[in-house]
């Protein structure tokens, strides 16, 4: 495939979109265009072309995407369906590679993929697969990275940053793959630079594999003055509760976290990636010493 040069990014102002946008710009390999909602208050550097779009309008999106080789979607979790017109417009505009807003657990694993919180992402797989089958010039890549390492640490999703009681999901010893926002940005750059090798498939990236108990031991080492107690939490029970909430129409964050924890920590859900594309993408693994630095920084900011 010809080199990808012109890249449009949707959601460039978001938690993950910002570091991906930075990585695309800093790589120096691409002409980057930002798509943003008409209603958005996000600010972007003057040097970057920004196009305001209505994500429901295929004609408007098609016009915005003229001349683009790739679209990177980093749209928010609650707006996954917004990407259907965006994919439609990408095909019409002759975009060659589409990266949906995937960036999650291994939802190719049937157990993880069946969790309701991921249904809207899984539906998009069918859309991009069908478009790719019908239009040989249109291709896609699905980047899977596990929970965001630095972001989840900073929100206290792995361990309680203030000390005290911290939940250990299914005992806290199940290994899982996890990746920092910056590494995901690097992965996006490298996927676009390796279009043939990453064509029409899931691409797995990780910084490292760890466990909650390993993180807690590091936290205790770097902050001996803080005391943690642990509470075992069953991800099966979390899923039951989340299923009931979703079934009653209450798709709140607590319910969604139940599904996220199930996909990351539960046995048989693929939380630890079996094969990763780090070598292909030239992304080295982080060491335990790197993890210690990350945990120390987060704890110092939080306490
Ligand atoms: N693996 C993990 O641990 C993890 C954690 C969090 C998120 N994620 C995934 O990462 C991806 C990005 O999530 P995020 O948390 O970074 O997103 P976010 O910050 O909530 O939002 C990203 C961007 O989406 C646009 N947006 C917001 N509401 C919208 C709407 N209603 N319709 C269309 N666009 C809208 C906004 O861009 P403009 O203002 O420029 O239009 C916003 O900056 C998602 O796929 C999410 O599921 C994964």
């Amino acid at each position: 495939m010809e080199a990808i040069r012109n890249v449009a990014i949707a959601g460039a102002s978001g938690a993950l979109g910002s570091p991906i946008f930075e990585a695309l710009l800093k790589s120096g390999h691409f002409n980057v265009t930002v798509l943003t909602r008409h209603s958005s208050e996000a600010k972007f550097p003057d040097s970057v072309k920004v196009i305001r779009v209505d994500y429901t309008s295929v004609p408007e999106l098609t016009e915005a995407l003229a001349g683009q080789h790739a679209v990177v979607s980093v749209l928010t979790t609650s707006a996954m369906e917004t990407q259907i017109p965006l994919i439609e417009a990408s095909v019409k505009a002759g975009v060659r590679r589409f990266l949906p807003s995937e960036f999650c657990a291994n939802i190719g694993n049937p157990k993880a993929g069946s969790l309701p919180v991921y249904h809207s992402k899984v539906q998009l797989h069918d859309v991009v697969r069908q478009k790719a089958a019908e239009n040989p010039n249109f291709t896609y890549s699905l980047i899977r990275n596990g929970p965001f390492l630095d972001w989840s640490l900073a929100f206290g999703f792995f361990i309680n940053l203030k000390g005290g009681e911290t939940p250990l999901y299914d005992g806290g010893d199940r290994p899982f793959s996890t990746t920092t926002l910056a590494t995901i940005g690097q992965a996006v750059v490298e996927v676009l630079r390796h279009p043939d090798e990453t064509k029409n498939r899931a691409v797995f990236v990780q910084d490292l594999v760890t466990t909650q108990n390993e993180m807690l031991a590091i936290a205790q080492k770097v902050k001996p003055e803080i005391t943690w107690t642990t509470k075992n939490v069953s991800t099966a029970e979390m899923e039951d509760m989340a299923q009931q909430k979703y079934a009653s129409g209450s798709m709140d964050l607590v319910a969604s976290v139940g599904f996220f924890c199930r996909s990351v920590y539960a046995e048989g859900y693929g939380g630890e990636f079996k094969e990763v594309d780090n070598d292909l993408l030239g992304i080295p693994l982080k060491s335990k010493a790197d993890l210690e630095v990350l945990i120390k920084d987060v704890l110092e900011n939080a306490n």
Side-chain angles (χ1 to χ4, degrees):
M1 185 185 294
E2 240 179 274
I4 288 171
R5 295 278 174 233
N6 301 338
V7 178
I9 174 167
S13 56
L16 177 62
S18 299
I20 291 179
F21 175 52
E22 283 283 306
L24 289 169
L25 288 182
K26 277 202 184 132
S27 74
H29 293 294
F30 310 110
N31 307 308
V32 181
T33 299
V34 167
L35 303 185
T36 187
R37 291 165 298 164
H38 288 287
S39 61
S40 178
E41 292 179 1
K43 301 263 182 286
F44 301 99
D46 290 342
S47 54
V48 175
K49 184 173 177 190
V50 177
I51 306 180
R52 292 196 173 267
V53 290
D54 171 357
Y55 283 112
T56 65
S57 167
V58 174
E60 197 178 308
L61 290 166
T62 307
E63 197 183 325
L65 293 176
Q68 296 299 328
H69 303 147
V71 172
V72 178
S73 170
V74 205
L75 292 176
T76 195
T77 310
S78 58
M80 288 295 121
E81 70 294 341
T82 300
Q83 296 174 94
I84 295 173
L86 188 59
I87 293 165
E88 185 88 12
S90 297
V91 174
K92 283 190 195 298
V95 166
R96 290 188 259 127
R97 176 62 50 91
F98 191 94
L99 273 56
S101 193
E102 178 97 349
F103 307 112
C104 57
N106 178 10
I107 58 173
N109 173 298
K111 286 183 172 178
S114 70
L115 296 169
V117 76
Y118 294 121
H119 283 177
S120 55
K121 284 186 196 269
V122 171
Q123 274 166 11
L124 285 173
H125 300 170
D126 294 337
V127 177
V128 287
R129 275 193 201 116
Q130 195 189 334
K131 293 291 180 199
E134 291 165 1
N135 306 277
N137 286 334
F138 176 84
T139 61
Y140 66 88
S141 308
L142 306 165
I143 298 186
R144 298 190 183 138
N145 38 253
F148 299 163
L149 174 52
D150 43 353
W151 183 91
S152 302
L153 266 173
F155 277 105
F157 288 154
F158 294 133
I159 49 171
N160 185 347
L161 300 178
K162 298 280 179 198
E165 190 172 84
T166 206
L168 292 181
Y169 303 108
D170 292 351
D173 279 324
R174 190 148 297 123
F176 59 92
S177 299
T178 177
T179 315
T180 57
L181 300 177
T183 298
I184 300 169
Q186 208 186 333
V188 169
V189 167
E190 294 306 326
V191 164
L192 297 176
R193 294 187 68 213
H194 296 82
D196 294 317
E197 301 91 327
T198 59
K199 176 181 165 182
N200 296 342
R201 69 174 179 93
V203 176
F204 289 86
V205 65
Q206 67 188 20
D207 275 320
L208 46 80
V209 172
T210 186
T211 66
Q212 273 190 292
N213 274 323
E214 181 176 50
M215 287 183 164
L216 193 55
I218 293 172
Q220 198 64 83
K221 178 182 159 201
V222 298
K223 282 277 170 196
E225 66 276 24
I226 302 181
T227 305
W228 279 276
T229 57
T230 59
K231 180 186 172 200
N232 192 42
V233 174
S234 152
T235 63
E237 284 173 17
M238 289 176 85
E239 185 191 338
D240 284 348
M241 193 260 317
Q243 294 282 11
Q244 283 167 27
K245 281 199 157 203
Y246 266 47
S248 68
S250 167
M251 298 171 185
D252 62 15
L253 186 63
V254 177
S256 297
V257 167
F259 290 130
F260 293 139
C261 285
R262 191 85 170 128
S263 68
V264 173
Y265 303 109
E267 186 166 21
Y269 281 67
E272 179 184 7
F273 299 159
K274 289 297 163 224
E275 283 179 21
V276 290
D277 291 287
N278 287 55
D279 285 348
L280 167 70
L281 304 177
I283 296 178
L285 294 178
K286 289 200 193 305
S287 65
K288 298 303 170 193
D290 296 327
L291 180 59
E292 186 169 319
V293 170
L294 279 170
I295 291 175
K296 192 165 183 239
D297 284 354
V298 165
L299 288 174
E300 271 168 8
N301 283 329
N303 291 287

